[in-house]
Amino acid sequence: MMPRDMDLIRELLLRFERDDVSFPEGRTQLEVAYHVNQMVRSGLIQAEIVEGPVAGRVRPVEFIFHDIEPAGHEFL
């Protein structure tokens, strides 16, 4: 992962700790949804991922956050 990606993941985890599911400034909904999906797949958080068509492919477009996993707390 690129440093910018790691910064986004850290920022999202910090927001989720505060029950804040808003998007960081300068980040798109699709970008955040993609990274949230990666966080779920990596065992950092629990969330439901909503997928939809984007540019001819099915991709994560939205999410419903549930909780931070122990690995997510360790990451922070």
Side-chain angles (χ1 to χ4, degrees):
M1 281 195 169
M2 303 294 288
R4 181 170 154 86
D5 296 329
M6 298 302 283
D7 290 343
L8 176 56
I9 290 169
R10 186 174 290 105
E11 174 67 23
L12 289 170
L13 283 169
L14 290 170
R15 286 173 183 253
F16 293 160
E17 274 193 325
R18 299 186 310 262
D19 292 323
D20 176 359
V21 293
S22 64
F23 301 154
E25 187 175 328
R27 303 297 187 130
T28 68
Q29 179 176 341
L30 292 177
E31 183 179 18
V32 171
Y34 169 82
H35 283 85
V36 167
N37 186 48
Q38 295 301 310
M39 293 165 70
V40 169
R41 294 177 64 196
S42 298
L44 298 177
I45 63 170
Q46 295 175 15
E48 293 177 48
I49 304 299
V50 179
E51 294 183 331
V54 177
R57 297 177 63 187
V58 176
R59 297 179 185 229
V61 293
E62 294 182 42
F63 63 92
I64 301 168
F65 171 74
H66 294 291
D67 203 0
I68 299 175
E69 294 283 4
H73 289 289
E74 287 180 31
F75 180 91
L76 286 175

